[in-house]
Amino acid sequence: QVQLVESGGGLVQAGGSLRLSCAASGRTFSRNAMGWFRQAPGKEREFVAAINWSGSSTYYADSVKGRFTISRDNAKNTVGLQMNSLKPEDTAVYYCAADADLYRRGSQSPNDYDYWGQGTQVTVSS
């Protein structure tokens, strides 16, 4: 059974940092694009960042560019999201996602991802 499990969420003051981690089990995702999405209360799920299968290309939403960094460790089957200079508007449940197709570049559309984690809450206080 394939599982994606996020960790690292929590409560932080504005300007602070958090590092999210997503651990995959049940299959390897070393040849699959991975992404992070978030959903705030009353809002649709939105793209945050994506990374291609090799880690050589990354993509970010404009709202997080320059503050967030996505990375992956294919040997450990994990993907991370370093979040710096956090703002109250970053408050949301953050989800890790994996594309089942091989050697993809990564996508901003949640429809291109086949596996999802349960989410981890990030709350940024002002």
Short mmCIF file of all heavy atoms in Angstrom, two decimals, residues 21-54:
data_model
loop_
_atom_site.label_atom_id
_atom_site.label_comp_id
_atom_site.label_asym_id
_atom_site.label_seq_id
_atom_site.Cartn_x
_atom_site.Cartn_y
_atom_site.Cartn_z
N SER A 21 8.54 17.58 5.88
CA SER A 21 9.12 16.39 5.26
C SER A 21 7.99 15.46 4.85
O SER A 21 6.95 15.41 5.51
CB SER A 21 10.06 15.69 6.23
OG SER A 21 10.68 14.59 5.61
N CYS A 22 8.20 14.75 3.77
CA CYS A 22 7.22 13.78 3.28
C CYS A 22 7.95 12.48 3.03
O CYS A 22 8.88 12.42 2.21
CB CYS A 22 6.58 14.28 2.00
SG CYS A 22 5.49 13.09 1.18
N ALA A 23 7.54 11.45 3.74
CA ALA A 23 8.16 10.13 3.60
C ALA A 23 7.22 9.21 2.85
O ALA A 23 6.05 9.07 3.21
CB ALA A 23 8.47 9.55 4.97
N ALA A 24 7.73 8.60 1.80
CA ALA A 24 6.93 7.70 0.98
C ALA A 24 7.25 6.26 1.33
O ALA A 24 8.40 5.91 1.62
CB ALA A 24 7.19 7.94 -0.50
N SER A 25 6.24 5.42 1.29
CA SER A 25 6.43 3.99 1.52
C SER A 25 5.51 3.22 0.59
O SER A 25 4.56 3.76 0.04
CB SER A 25 6.14 3.64 2.98
OG SER A 25 4.79 3.94 3.30
N GLY A 26 5.81 1.95 0.40
CA GLY A 26 5.00 1.11 -0.46
C GLY A 26 5.51 0.99 -1.87
O GLY A 26 5.18 0.07 -2.59
N ARG A 27 6.29 1.98 -2.31
CA ARG A 27 6.95 1.95 -3.61
C ARG A 27 7.98 3.07 -3.63
O ARG A 27 7.90 4.00 -2.83
CB ARG A 27 5.98 2.11 -4.78
CG ARG A 27 5.18 3.40 -4.76
CD ARG A 27 4.56 3.70 -6.12
NE ARG A 27 5.53 4.24 -7.07
CZ ARG A 27 5.23 4.60 -8.30
NH1 ARG A 27 3.99 4.46 -8.75
NH2 ARG A 27 6.16 5.08 -9.11
N THR A 28 8.90 2.98 -4.54
CA THR A 28 9.86 4.05 -4.68
C THR A 28 9.34 5.12 -5.62
O THR A 28 8.65 4.82 -6.61
CB THR A 28 11.21 3.52 -5.21
OG1 THR A 28 12.12 4.62 -5.36
CG2 THR A 28 11.03 2.84 -6.56
N PHE A 29 9.67 6.39 -5.30
CA PHE A 29 9.29 7.50 -6.16
C PHE A 29 10.52 8.19 -6.74
O PHE A 29 10.46 9.36 -7.12
CB PHE A 29 8.44 8.50 -5.37
CG PHE A 29 7.05 8.00 -5.09
CD1 PHE A 29 6.72 7.47 -3.86
CD2 PHE A 29 6.08 8.04 -6.08
CE1 PHE A 29 5.44 6.99 -3.61
CE2 PHE A 29 4.80 7.58 -5.84
CZ PHE A 29 4.48 7.05 -4.60
N SER A 30 11.61 7.47 -6.84
CA SER A 30 12.86 8.07 -7.30
C SER A 30 12.81 8.49 -8.77
O SER A 30 13.67 9.22 -9.23
CB SER A 30 14.02 7.10 -7.07
OG SER A 30 13.81 5.90 -7.80
N ARG A 31 11.83 8.01 -9.51
CA ARG A 31 11.68 8.39 -10.92
C ARG A 31 10.39 9.16 -11.17
O ARG A 31 9.92 9.26 -12.31
CB ARG A 31 11.73 7.14 -11.80
CG ARG A 31 13.07 6.43 -11.77
CD ARG A 31 13.05 5.17 -12.60
NE ARG A 31 12.18 4.15 -12.03
CZ ARG A 31 11.85 3.03 -12.66
NH1 ARG A 31 12.30 2.77 -13.87
NH2 ARG A 31 11.07 2.15 -12.07
N ASN A 32 9.85 9.74 -10.09
CA ASN A 32 8.56 10.42 -10.18
C ASN A 32 8.65 11.85 -9.67
O ASN A 32 9.31 12.11 -8.67
CB ASN A 32 7.51 9.67 -9.35
CG ASN A 32 7.36 8.23 -9.77
OD1 ASN A 32 8.15 7.38 -9.34
ND2 ASN A 32 6.39 7.95 -10.61
N ALA A 33 7.93 12.73 -10.35
CA ALA A 33 7.83 14.11 -9.87
C ALA A 33 7.02 14.14 -8.57
O ALA A 33 6.12 13.32 -8.36
CB ALA A 33 7.17 14.98 -10.92
N MET A 34 7.38 15.10 -7.72
CA MET A 34 6.70 15.27 -6.45
C MET A 34 6.30 16.73 -6.29
O MET A 34 6.93 17.61 -6.89
CB MET A 34 7.63 14.87 -5.29
CG MET A 34 8.21 13.48 -5.38
SD MET A 34 7.04 12.20 -4.96
CE MET A 34 6.89 12.45 -3.18
N GLY A 35 5.30 16.97 -5.47
CA GLY A 35 4.87 18.34 -5.28
C GLY A 35 4.32 18.58 -3.89
O GLY A 35 4.04 17.64 -3.14
N TRP A 36 4.22 19.87 -3.55
CA TRP A 36 3.57 20.31 -2.33
C TRP A 36 2.42 21.24 -2.69
O TRP A 36 2.57 22.13 -3.55
CB TRP A 36 4.55 21.06 -1.42
CG TRP A 36 5.55 20.20 -0.73
CD1 TRP A 36 6.82 19.91 -1.13
CD2 TRP A 36 5.36 19.50 0.52
NE1 TRP A 36 7.43 19.09 -0.23
CE2 TRP A 36 6.57 18.82 0.80
CE3 TRP A 36 4.31 19.39 1.43
CZ2 TRP A 36 6.75 18.04 1.94
CZ3 TRP A 36 4.49 18.62 2.55
CH2 TRP A 36 5.69 17.95 2.80
N PHE A 37 1.31 21.03 -2.03
CA PHE A 37 0.14 21.88 -2.19
C PHE A 37 -0.33 22.31 -0.81
O PHE A 37 0.10 21.74 0.21
CB PHE A 37 -0.98 21.12 -2.91
CG PHE A 37 -0.69 20.84 -4.36
CD1 PHE A 37 0.18 19.82 -4.72
CD2 PHE A 37 -1.27 21.59 -5.36
CE1 PHE A 37 0.47 19.56 -6.06
CE2 PHE A 37 -0.99 21.35 -6.70
CZ PHE A 37 -0.11 20.33 -7.04
N ARG A 38 -1.19 23.30 -0.76
CA ARG A 38 -1.73 23.71 0.52
C ARG A 38 -3.19 24.13 0.36
O ARG A 38 -3.63 24.51 -0.73
CB ARG A 38 -0.91 24.85 1.13
CG ARG A 38 -0.98 26.16 0.36
CD ARG A 38 0.00 27.17 0.95
NE ARG A 38 -0.06 28.46 0.27
CZ ARG A 38 0.79 29.46 0.50
NH1 ARG A 38 1.76 29.33 1.40
NH2 ARG A 38 0.66 30.60 -0.16
N GLN A 39 -3.91 24.04 1.45
CA GLN A 39 -5.31 24.42 1.44
C GLN A 39 -5.65 25.13 2.74
O GLN A 39 -5.51 24.55 3.82
CB GLN A 39 -6.21 23.20 1.25
CG GLN A 39 -7.67 23.55 1.04
CD GLN A 39 -8.49 22.38 0.54
OE1 GLN A 39 -8.08 21.22 0.64
NE2 GLN A 39 -9.65 22.66 -0.03
N ALA A 40 -6.06 26.37 2.60
CA ALA A 40 -6.50 27.17 3.74
C ALA A 40 -8.01 27.01 3.91
O ALA A 40 -8.71 26.67 2.95
CB ALA A 40 -6.14 28.63 3.53
N PRO A 41 -8.53 27.26 5.10
CA PRO A 41 -9.98 27.12 5.33
C PRO A 41 -10.78 27.97 4.35
O PRO A 41 -10.50 29.15 4.17
CB PRO A 41 -10.14 27.61 6.76
CG PRO A 41 -8.83 27.36 7.41
CD PRO A 41 -7.81 27.61 6.35
N GLY A 42 -11.77 27.34 3.72
CA GLY A 42 -12.64 28.05 2.81
C GLY A 42 -12.04 28.33 1.45
O GLY A 42 -12.66 29.01 0.62
N LYS A 43 -10.84 27.83 1.20
CA LYS A 43 -10.18 28.07 -0.08
C LYS A 43 -9.89 26.76 -0.79
O LYS A 43 -9.87 25.70 -0.17
CB LYS A 43 -8.89 28.85 0.13
CG LYS A 43 -9.09 30.26 0.67
CD LYS A 43 -7.80 31.02 0.66
CE LYS A 43 -8.01 32.47 1.12
NZ LYS A 43 -6.73 33.24 1.09
N GLU A 44 -9.63 26.86 -2.08
CA GLU A 44 -9.28 25.68 -2.86
C GLU A 44 -7.82 25.29 -2.60
O GLU A 44 -7.00 26.12 -2.20
CB GLU A 44 -9.50 25.95 -4.35
CG GLU A 44 -10.96 26.12 -4.74
CD GLU A 44 -11.14 26.21 -6.24
OE1 GLU A 44 -10.14 26.23 -6.96
OE2 GLU A 44 -12.29 26.25 -6.68
N ARG A 45 -7.53 24.05 -2.87
CA ARG A 45 -6.15 23.59 -2.76
C ARG A 45 -5.31 24.30 -3.82
O ARG A 45 -5.71 24.39 -4.97
CB ARG A 45 -6.09 22.08 -2.95
CG ARG A 45 -4.75 21.47 -2.65
CD ARG A 45 -4.84 19.96 -2.57
NE ARG A 45 -5.75 19.51 -1.51
CZ ARG A 45 -5.85 18.24 -1.12
NH1 ARG A 45 -5.12 17.30 -1.70
NH2 ARG A 45 -6.70 17.91 -0.18
N GLU A 46 -4.15 24.79 -3.42
CA GLU A 46 -3.31 25.54 -4.35
C GLU A 46 -1.90 24.97 -4.38
O GLU A 46 -1.39 24.42 -3.41
CB GLU A 46 -3.27 27.03 -3.98
CG GLU A 46 -2.59 27.34 -2.67
CD GLU A 46 -2.42 28.84 -2.44
OE1 GLU A 46 -2.83 29.64 -3.29
OE2 GLU A 46 -1.87 29.20 -1.38
N PHE A 47 -1.29 25.16 -5.53
CA PHE A 47 0.08 24.70 -5.76
C PHE A 47 1.06 25.53 -4.93
O PHE A 47 0.92 26.74 -4.82
CB PHE A 47 0.40 24.83 -7.24
CG PHE A 47 1.84 24.66 -7.59
CD1 PHE A 47 2.41 23.38 -7.59
CD2 PHE A 47 2.64 25.74 -7.92
CE1 PHE A 47 3.74 23.22 -7.92
CE2 PHE A 47 3.97 25.57 -8.25
CZ PHE A 47 4.52 24.31 -8.25
N VAL A 48 2.06 24.85 -4.38
CA VAL A 48 3.13 25.53 -3.65
C VAL A 48 4.47 25.34 -4.37
O VAL A 48 5.13 26.31 -4.71
CB VAL A 48 3.23 25.00 -2.21
CG1 VAL A 48 4.43 25.63 -1.50
CG2 VAL A 48 1.95 25.26 -1.44
N ALA A 49 4.85 24.08 -4.59
CA ALA A 49 6.14 23.81 -5.20
C ALA A 49 6.15 22.41 -5.80
O ALA A 49 5.38 21.54 -5.37
CB ALA A 49 7.27 23.93 -4.17
N ALA A 50 7.00 22.21 -6.79
CA ALA A 50 7.15 20.90 -7.41
C ALA A 50 8.61 20.67 -7.76
O ALA A 50 9.38 21.62 -7.94
CB ALA A 50 6.28 20.77 -8.65
N ILE A 51 8.96 19.40 -7.86
CA ILE A 51 10.33 19.02 -8.20
C ILE A 51 10.28 17.85 -9.16
O ILE A 51 9.46 16.94 -9.00
CB ILE A 51 11.13 18.69 -6.92
CG1 ILE A 51 12.61 18.48 -7.22
CG2 ILE A 51 10.54 17.49 -6.18
CD1 ILE A 51 13.49 18.49 -5.95
N ASN A 52 11.14 17.89 -10.17
CA ASN A 52 11.10 16.81 -11.14
C ASN A 52 11.72 15.55 -10.56
O ASN A 52 12.23 15.53 -9.43
CB ASN A 52 11.78 17.23 -12.45
CG ASN A 52 13.29 17.27 -12.36
OD1 ASN A 52 13.84 17.45 -11.28
ND2 ASN A 52 13.96 17.10 -13.48
N TRP A 53 11.71 14.48 -11.32
CA TRP A 53 12.08 13.18 -10.79
C TRP A 53 13.53 13.14 -10.31
O TRP A 53 13.86 12.47 -9.34
CB TRP A 53 11.85 12.09 -11.83
CG TRP A 53 12.77 12.20 -13.02
CD1 TRP A 53 12.58 12.98 -14.12
CD2 TRP A 53 14.01 11.53 -13.20
NE1 TRP A 53 13.63 12.84 -14.98
CE2 TRP A 53 14.53 11.94 -14.45
CE3 TRP A 53 14.74 10.62 -12.44
CZ2 TRP A 53 15.74 11.47 -14.95
CZ3 TRP A 53 15.95 10.15 -12.93
CH2 TRP A 53 16.43 10.58 -14.17
N SER A 54 14.42 13.89 -10.97
CA SER A 54 15.84 13.82 -10.61
C SER A 54 16.23 14.89 -9.60
O SER A 54 17.32 14.84 -9.05
CB SER A 54 16.70 13.98 -11.87
OG SER A 54 16.55 15.29 -12.40
#
